[in-house]
């Protein structure tokens, strides 16, 4: 199979969909790998690294999309990229379709088979292709929140760890999954006063055990959330409903109850954001203010640490990439129910019921798409 990896074009997206090590693996199995010139530069991989692996360097994205049977990316295809997709191609990348009707319609019109990293599952019920980026984003969230809290950036001027005689920052993490746990770990390490909120009591018990009393856990009822944010210096939104739009946990009216200069970091922005006032930003212009509250809503947070993120993502996507190349999409998905869970669009049909519900589009199950 011809596997193509274009350069990412989303603003300040420095990751790349395929590492030289992955190219070695694919080429060793008899596949052809096409890499757009400069695709890996942001992550520290030169064209020469890919050429040494046996990949063919092509001059532009048109050459990749025009020849490749399997397109491997990091972020959802942008409008110019979607115009280059062709019926029958396989697209393997993050999609986040639920809050993005334009992308969904374009993929349906293109006729591609699109498999979303973020909904591929594993035997434990986890999301293994989302988990490493969730880890990265979670660990970044207190760092960027600390930066946004600085007075020069519009924040309250509060130091995360405080100093002797002055209290540390109050950090509220809403969501105790992979993102929330990673965020809590870093925030605790920075010396902040951390509260993690979740609706799963077993998860809260787990967090209480692993952190051994170094943070507070609280059930995330609407009333408890409203109370917690009243004294929060930093709120990190870390909720996820696989494949669906994120629920709105803090309304605009509630911003007035928060301390002026407090910071919201919305890690769920890829899925539409979990704060009513959230809108996607970029690394170039990451923050904005609403009613005196600073919002950090960068839609590709892991892109800030592109080399680490690319290597971590490549580790988990490679087995599925090789299965798709070795077997073709139909057999690969037929053989693996977990990879099949990632099928979002096939031949003009939406194959993700949660996305269909979010966008009001009729959807069939992946199993139906395979059978027909």
């Amino acid at each position: 199979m011809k596997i193509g990896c274009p350069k990412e074009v989303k603003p300040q997206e420095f990751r790349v969909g395929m590492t030289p090590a992955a190219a070695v693996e694919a080429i060793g199995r008899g596949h052809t790998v096409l890499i757009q010139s400069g695709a890996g530069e942001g992550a520290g991989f030169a064209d020469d690294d890919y050429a040494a692996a046996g990949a063919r360097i092509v001059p532009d994205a048109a050459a990749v999309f025009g020849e490749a049977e399997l397109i491997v990316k990091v972020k959802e295809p942008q409008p110019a990229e979607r115009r280059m997709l062709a019926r029958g191609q396989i697209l393997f990348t993050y999609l986040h379709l639920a809050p993005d009707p334009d992308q969904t319609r374009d993929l349906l019109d293109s006729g591609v088979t699109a498999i979303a990293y973020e909904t591929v599952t594993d035997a434990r019920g986890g999301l293994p292709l989302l988990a490493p980026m969730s880890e990265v984003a979670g660990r970044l969230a207190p760092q960027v929140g600390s930066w946004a809290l600085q007075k020069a950036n519009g924040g309250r001027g509060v130091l995360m760890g405080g100093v002797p005689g002055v209290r540390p920052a109050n950090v509220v993490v809403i969501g105790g999954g992979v993102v929330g746990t990673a965020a809590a770990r870093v925030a605790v390490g920075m010396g902040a006063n951390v509260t993690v909120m979740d609706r799963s009591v077993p998860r809260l018990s787990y967090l209480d055990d692993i952190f051994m009393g170094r943070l507070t856990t609280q059930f995330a009822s609407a009333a408890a959330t409203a109370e917690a944010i009243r004294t929060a210096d930093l709120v990190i939104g870390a909720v996820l409903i696989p494949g669906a739009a994120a629920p709105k946990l803090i309304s605009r009216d509630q911003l007035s109850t928060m301390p002026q200069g407090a910071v919201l970091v919305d890690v769920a922005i890829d899925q539409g954001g979990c704060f009513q006032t959230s809108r996607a930003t970029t690394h170039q212009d990451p923050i904005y203010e609403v009613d005196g509250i600073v919002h950090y809503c960068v839609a590709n947070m892991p892109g800030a640490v592109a080399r680490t993120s690319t290597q971590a993502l490549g580790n988990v996507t490679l087995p599925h990439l090789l299965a798709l190349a070795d077997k073709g999409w139909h057999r690969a998905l037929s053989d693996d129910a977990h990879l099949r869970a990632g099928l979002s669009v096939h031949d003009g049909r939406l194959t993700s019921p949660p996305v269909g519900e979010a966008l009001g589009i009729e959807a069939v199950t992946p199993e139906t798409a395979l059978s027909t």
Side-chain angles (χ1 to χ4, degrees):
M1 185 173 284
K2 292 182 179 179
I3 305 169
C5 178
K7 184 175 183 177
E8 297 293 323
V9 295
K10 191 163 187 172
Q12 289 80 52
E13 179 51 73
F14 305 109
R15 290 173 289 180
V16 62
M18 197 169 189
T19 64
V24 169
E25 297 271 354
I27 292 165
R29 292 173 179 247
H31 305 296
T32 299
V33 174
L34 311 173
I35 303 290
Q36 182 180 345
S37 180
E41 288 178 353
F45 300 116
D47 288 351
D48 288 347
D49 297 327
Y50 289 102
R56 178 153 57 92
I57 309 301
V58 297
D60 52 32
V64 174
F65 283 88
E67 188 174 347
E69 300 161 278
L70 169 59
I71 304 289
V72 182
K73 292 182 82 281
V74 178
K75 293 303 293 178
E76 70 280 359
Q78 301 301 293
E81 295 175 306
R82 300 198 293 266
R83 289 192 289 271
M84 292 187 281
L85 290 168
R87 185 170 299 276
Q89 279 183 323
I90 305 166
L91 175 64
F92 192 37
T93 187
Y94 288 116
L95 292 175
H96 300 292
L97 295 178
D100 195 344
D102 291 341
Q103 183 197 177
T104 303
R105 283 192 293 267
D106 286 349
L107 292 181
L108 291 171
D109 291 343
S110 73
V112 298
T113 295
I115 301 165
Y117 291 164
E118 71 271 14
T119 56
V120 173
T121 58
D122 62 20
R124 297 174 298 172
L127 302 170
L129 307 194
L130 186 63
M133 297 303 94
S134 296
E135 283 270 7
V136 171
R139 293 183 185 213
L140 276 174
Q143 293 183 209
V144 298
S146 175
W147 173 84
L149 270 173
Q150 295 176 30
K151 192 65 178 178
N153 300 318
R156 299 195 71 204
V158 173
L159 183 65
M160 286 285 276
V163 293
V166 181
R167 71 162 180 84
N170 289 328
V171 176
V172 175
V173 181
I174 307 178
V178 175
V179 172
T181 302
R185 181 177 293 115
V186 172
V188 167
M190 295 174 80
N193 177 32
V194 180
T195 299
V196 178
M197 309 188 73
D198 200 282
R199 285 183 174 268
S200 168
V201 173
R203 185 65 184 181
L204 294 175
S205 297
Y206 167 78
L207 293 171
D208 185 64
D209 286 342
I210 65 169
F211 282 98
M212 297 183 290
R214 290 179 295 163
L215 53 70
T216 300
T217 59
Q218 188 167 12
F219 185 80
S221 67
T225 302
E227 183 61 31
I229 67 173
R230 290 177 185 273
T231 56
D233 299 296
L234 170 62
V235 179
I236 297 172
V239 295
L240 172 70
I241 300 175
K248 301 296 188 259
L249 304 177
I250 296 177
S251 68
R252 178 161 189 170
D253 288 344
Q254 288 177 302
L255 298 186
S256 63
T257 70
M258 299 177 65
Q260 288 289 288
V263 173
L264 300 179
V265 175
D266 197 338
V267 186
I269 193 64
D270 272 335
Q271 293 294 117
C274 57
F275 310 131
Q276 187 180 36
T277 46
S278 292
R279 57 175 173 80
T281 60
T282 67
H283 292 292
Q284 188 175 31
D285 188 16
I287 58 176
Y288 61 94
E289 177 265 326
V290 177
D291 297 343
I293 305 301
V294 180
H295 292 58
Y296 181 101
C297 304
V298 174
N300 58 330
M301 287 177 64
V305 286
R307 188 172 181 86
T308 296
S309 297
T310 293
Q311 291 172 322
L313 183 60
N315 291 341
V316 294
T317 58
L318 180 60
H320 299 294
L321 168 64
L322 295 177
L324 289 167
D326 289 346
K327 301 177 180 181
W329 76 270
H330 193 280
R331 184 181 162 199
L333 269 60
S334 296
D335 289 350
D336 186 348
H338 299 299
L339 181 58
R340 187 163 68 242
L343 185 64
S344 295
V345 172
H346 170 63
D347 195 24
R349 288 188 295 179
L350 187 64
T351 55
S352 173
V355 173
E357 182 177 351
L359 297 181
I361 299 174
E362 183 179 356
V364 300
T365 64
E367 290 74 17
T368 299
L370 284 172
S371 67
T372 56

